[in-house]
Amino acid sequence: QVQLAESGGGLVQAGGSLRLSCAASGRTVNNYAMGWFRQAPGKEREFVGTWITGTTYYADSVKGRFTISRDNAKSTMYLQMNSLKPEDTAVYYCALPSRLLVVPLLRRADSYDYWGQGTQVTVSS
């Protein structure tokens, strides 16, 4: 059974940094994309970024501020968030697909089959 567990959320002032972690268990994830999404109150879940075979893709809203990395030996993905803004406040989720994805599908939440429970990130102004 595949499980994803996020950690590292919290409260930070605008301009600050946080690092989120997502630990996967139950399946080898090395060749699969792993994505980060977020959902703010009253809004739809939106794409943040994804890592696939060493290449990363980011939403325009976080490009240059957020960095995704992976430690395949630990089956763990990280999201380093710098220069945080109040509009980054959301519950952050990591996600894993059950199949290999092509690039056009990476940004779609419905491409991913497994989701973590989410971790709250709150950025105060």
mmCIF file of all heavy atoms in Angstrom, residues 83-100:
data_model
loop_
_atom_site.group_PDB
_atom_site.id
_atom_site.type_symbol
_atom_site.label_atom_id
_atom_site.label_comp_id
_atom_site.label_asym_id
_atom_site.label_seq_id
_atom_site.Cartn_x
_atom_site.Cartn_y
_atom_site.Cartn_z
ATOM 1 N N SER A 83 11.530 33.197 0.255
ATOM 2 C CA SER A 83 10.823 34.447 -0.060
ATOM 3 C C SER A 83 9.316 34.248 -0.039
ATOM 4 O O SER A 83 8.597 34.661 -0.960
ATOM 5 C CB SER A 83 11.273 34.969 -1.432
ATOM 6 O OG SER A 83 12.671 35.182 -1.460
ATOM 7 N N LEU A 84 8.846 33.629 1.012
ATOM 8 C CA LEU A 84 7.426 33.300 1.098
ATOM 9 C C LEU A 84 6.564 34.548 1.169
ATOM 10 O O LEU A 84 6.959 35.571 1.749
ATOM 11 C CB LEU A 84 7.173 32.406 2.311
ATOM 12 C CG LEU A 84 7.569 30.940 2.097
ATOM 13 C CD1 LEU A 84 7.724 30.222 3.417
ATOM 14 C CD2 LEU A 84 6.542 30.244 1.218
ATOM 15 N N LYS A 85 5.390 34.435 0.572
ATOM 16 C CA LYS A 85 4.423 35.526 0.515
ATOM 17 C C LYS A 85 3.124 35.087 1.185
ATOM 18 O O LYS A 85 2.828 33.892 1.220
ATOM 19 C CB LYS A 85 4.140 35.899 -0.940
ATOM 20 C CG LYS A 85 5.371 36.249 -1.758
ATOM 21 C CD LYS A 85 4.991 36.474 -3.217
ATOM 22 C CE LYS A 85 6.206 36.806 -4.060
ATOM 23 N NZ LYS A 85 5.834 37.019 -5.488
ATOM 24 N N PRO A 86 2.324 36.024 1.657
ATOM 25 C CA PRO A 86 1.030 35.630 2.249
ATOM 26 C C PRO A 86 0.180 34.802 1.304
ATOM 27 O O PRO A 86 -0.559 33.914 1.751
ATOM 28 C CB PRO A 86 0.385 36.983 2.568
ATOM 29 C CG PRO A 86 1.541 37.894 2.823
ATOM 30 C CD PRO A 86 2.599 37.457 1.865
ATOM 31 N N GLU A 87 0.281 35.049 0.014
ATOM 32 C CA GLU A 87 -0.518 34.280 -0.949
ATOM 33 C C GLU A 87 -0.034 32.846 -1.121
ATOM 34 O O GLU A 87 -0.680 32.051 -1.806
ATOM 35 C CB GLU A 87 -0.558 34.978 -2.315
ATOM 36 C CG GLU A 87 0.797 35.370 -2.864
ATOM 37 C CD GLU A 87 1.133 36.826 -2.570
ATOM 38 O OE1 GLU A 87 0.889 37.295 -1.428
ATOM 39 O OE2 GLU A 87 1.663 37.497 -3.477
ATOM 40 N N ASP A 88 1.075 32.485 -0.496
ATOM 41 C CA ASP A 88 1.528 31.095 -0.493
ATOM 42 C C ASP A 88 0.833 30.289 0.602
ATOM 43 O O ASP A 88 1.017 29.065 0.679
ATOM 44 C CB ASP A 88 3.039 31.021 -0.264
ATOM 45 C CG ASP A 88 3.837 31.623 -1.414
ATOM 46 O OD1 ASP A 88 3.460 31.383 -2.577
ATOM 47 O OD2 ASP A 88 4.822 32.331 -1.140
ATOM 48 N N THR A 89 0.051 30.950 1.436
ATOM 49 C CA THR A 89 -0.660 30.252 2.502
ATOM 50 C C THR A 89 -1.631 29.234 1.921
ATOM 51 O O THR A 89 -2.467 29.570 1.083
ATOM 52 C CB THR A 89 -1.420 31.264 3.379
ATOM 53 O OG1 THR A 89 -0.482 32.116 4.042
ATOM 54 C CG2 THR A 89 -2.271 30.543 4.418
ATOM 55 N N ALA A 90 -1.495 27.990 2.347
ATOM 56 C CA ALA A 90 -2.316 26.904 1.818
ATOM 57 C C ALA A 90 -1.948 25.616 2.542
ATOM 58 O O ALA A 90 -0.951 25.560 3.272
ATOM 59 C CB ALA A 90 -2.097 26.733 0.315
ATOM 60 N N VAL A 91 -2.740 24.592 2.292
ATOM 61 C CA VAL A 91 -2.336 23.232 2.660
ATOM 62 C C VAL A 91 -1.559 22.670 1.473
ATOM 63 O O VAL A 91 -2.036 22.717 0.338
ATOM 64 C CB VAL A 91 -3.543 22.348 2.978
ATOM 65 C CG1 VAL A 91 -3.088 20.931 3.300
ATOM 66 C CG2 VAL A 91 -4.330 22.937 4.153
ATOM 67 N N TYR A 92 -0.384 22.175 1.748
ATOM 68 C CA TYR A 92 0.486 21.637 0.712
ATOM 69 C C TYR A 92 0.427 20.117 0.737
ATOM 70 O O TYR A 92 0.546 19.493 1.797
ATOM 71 C CB TYR A 92 1.916 22.121 0.918
ATOM 72 C CG TYR A 92 2.102 23.558 0.489
ATOM 73 C CD1 TYR A 92 1.538 24.598 1.216
ATOM 74 C CD2 TYR A 92 2.836 23.873 -0.661
ATOM 75 C CE1 TYR A 92 1.694 25.917 0.811
ATOM 76 C CE2 TYR A 92 2.995 25.187 -1.069
ATOM 77 C CZ TYR A 92 2.419 26.209 -0.333
ATOM 78 O OH TYR A 92 2.577 27.509 -0.741
ATOM 79 N N TYR A 93 0.267 19.549 -0.461
ATOM 80 C CA TYR A 93 0.155 18.107 -0.623
ATOM 81 C C TYR A 93 1.241 17.598 -1.563
ATOM 82 O O TYR A 93 1.556 18.242 -2.565
ATOM 83 C CB TYR A 93 -1.190 17.730 -1.235
ATOM 84 C CG TYR A 93 -2.406 18.135 -0.436
ATOM 85 C CD1 TYR A 93 -3.002 19.380 -0.611
ATOM 86 C CD2 TYR A 93 -2.970 17.256 0.488
ATOM 87 C CE1 TYR A 93 -4.122 19.746 0.113
ATOM 88 C CE2 TYR A 93 -4.084 17.611 1.220
ATOM 89 C CZ TYR A 93 -4.655 18.857 1.023
ATOM 90 O OH TYR A 93 -5.776 19.215 1.740
ATOM 91 N N CYS A 94 1.760 16.427 -1.257
ATOM 92 C CA CYS A 94 2.577 15.747 -2.247
ATOM 93 C C CYS A 94 1.739 14.651 -2.898
ATOM 94 O O CYS A 94 0.774 14.161 -2.308
ATOM 95 C CB CYS A 94 3.865 15.197 -1.647
ATOM 96 S SG CYS A 94 3.663 13.900 -0.428
ATOM 97 N N ALA A 95 2.123 14.288 -4.110
ATOM 98 C CA ALA A 95 1.322 13.363 -4.891
ATOM 99 C C ALA A 95 2.210 12.478 -5.747
ATOM 100 O O ALA A 95 3.283 12.893 -6.190
ATOM 101 C CB ALA A 95 0.349 14.139 -5.774
ATOM 102 N N LEU A 96 1.707 11.287 -6.011
ATOM 103 C CA LEU A 96 2.440 10.280 -6.763
ATOM 104 C C LEU A 96 1.479 9.604 -7.731
ATOM 105 O O LEU A 96 0.381 9.219 -7.338
ATOM 106 C CB LEU A 96 3.021 9.246 -5.788
ATOM 107 C CG LEU A 96 3.828 8.093 -6.362
ATOM 108 C CD1 LEU A 96 5.155 8.590 -6.903
ATOM 109 C CD2 LEU A 96 4.051 7.037 -5.276
ATOM 110 N N PRO A 97 1.868 9.438 -8.977
ATOM 111 C CA PRO A 97 0.994 8.739 -9.912
ATOM 112 C C PRO A 97 1.217 7.229 -9.836
ATOM 113 O O PRO A 97 2.234 6.763 -9.317
ATOM 114 C CB PRO A 97 1.443 9.288 -11.266
ATOM 115 C CG PRO A 97 2.907 9.542 -11.058
ATOM 116 C CD PRO A 97 3.066 9.977 -9.636
ATOM 117 N N SER A 98 0.281 6.469 -10.359
ATOM 118 C CA SER A 98 0.433 5.008 -10.398
ATOM 119 C C SER A 98 1.074 4.552 -11.691
ATOM 120 O O SER A 98 1.361 3.368 -11.852
ATOM 121 C CB SER A 98 -0.939 4.345 -10.232
ATOM 122 O OG SER A 98 -1.798 4.725 -11.290
ATOM 123 N N ARG A 99 1.313 5.490 -12.605
ATOM 124 C CA ARG A 99 1.921 5.142 -13.885
ATOM 125 C C ARG A 99 2.919 6.240 -14.251
ATOM 126 O O ARG A 99 2.931 7.308 -13.657
ATOM 127 C CB ARG A 99 0.848 5.027 -14.959
ATOM 128 C CG ARG A 99 0.148 6.347 -15.243
ATOM 129 C CD ARG A 99 -1.143 6.171 -15.993
ATOM 130 N NE ARG A 99 -1.724 7.422 -16.463
ATOM 131 C CZ ARG A 99 -2.336 8.298 -15.694
ATOM 132 N NH1 ARG A 99 -2.460 8.082 -14.402
ATOM 133 N NH2 ARG A 99 -2.846 9.394 -16.229
ATOM 134 N N LEU A 100 3.724 5.952 -15.242
ATOM 135 C CA LEU A 100 4.660 6.956 -15.719
ATOM 136 C C LEU A 100 3.875 8.036 -16.469
ATOM 137 O O LEU A 100 2.998 7.722 -17.267
ATOM 138 C CB LEU A 100 5.702 6.311 -16.636
ATOM 139 C CG LEU A 100 6.572 5.237 -15.976
ATOM 140 C CD1 LEU A 100 7.530 4.639 -16.998
ATOM 141 C CD2 LEU A 100 7.347 5.810 -14.797
#
